[in-house]
Amino acid sequence: MGPNMPCSICGKDGHNAKTCNEKQHPTVGDTHALWVKFDKITGKEASELLKAIIDIKEEIAPHARGTFAKGAKKEMPQKIAEALRLSENNTADDEPKKIE
């Protein structure tokens, strides 16, 4: 790594990834996301799946934030777009976001 290139882990100058102190203390859960789609289900099944997903998320990844969109198939493109806007604009709140 050249003298003008920042560390590839923390982005700071003066060291590289091999000697980065932040490598030893990674930020929890900011490297992956998950997007899931279910179709050919009823409204009741959608509600039950959503509740189960929220419950298991709390068990497996309690620190994770969630944004969910649920509705009729023809409404989903608009609901997904709204859910993504909420997710991008509201990073401080840890409560799951639901668009129904």
Side-chain angles (χ1 to χ4, degrees):
M1 176 176 291
N4 295 329
M5 294 185 65
C7 170
S8 62
I9 293 177
C10 70
K12 297 176 184 172
D13 292 327
H15 63 275
N16 60 31
K18 186 176 180 180
T19 60
C20 181
N21 288 330
E22 293 188 34
K23 176 174 69 172
Q24 297 166 7
H25 307 288
T27 303
V28 174
D30 66 353
T31 62
H32 287 78
L34 175 67
W35 185 260
V36 177
K37 174 191 173 196
F38 296 97
D39 59 12
K40 298 185 180 184
I41 59 175
T42 66
K44 181 181 181 204
E45 291 168 333
S47 294
E48 290 175 8
L49 279 166
L50 181 56
K51 182 185 179 320
I53 290 167
I54 292 170
D55 290 346
I56 198 74
K57 177 233 138 322
E58 289 301 317
E59 181 181 323
I60 294 172
H63 60 276
R65 291 180 298 134
T67 302
F68 308 93
K70 178 176 79 93
K73 191 173 182 178
K74 66 181 179 181
E75 300 169 339
M76 289 310 294
Q78 178 184 353
K79 290 181 181 256
I80 291 168
E82 184 180 346
L84 291 173
R85 279 192 303 275
L86 273 176
S87 179
E88 291 171 358
N89 294 330
N90 199 353
T91 58
D93 189 358
D94 289 337
E95 290 300 313
K97 305 291 181 266
K98 293 187 225 178
I99 308 298
E100 296 187 66

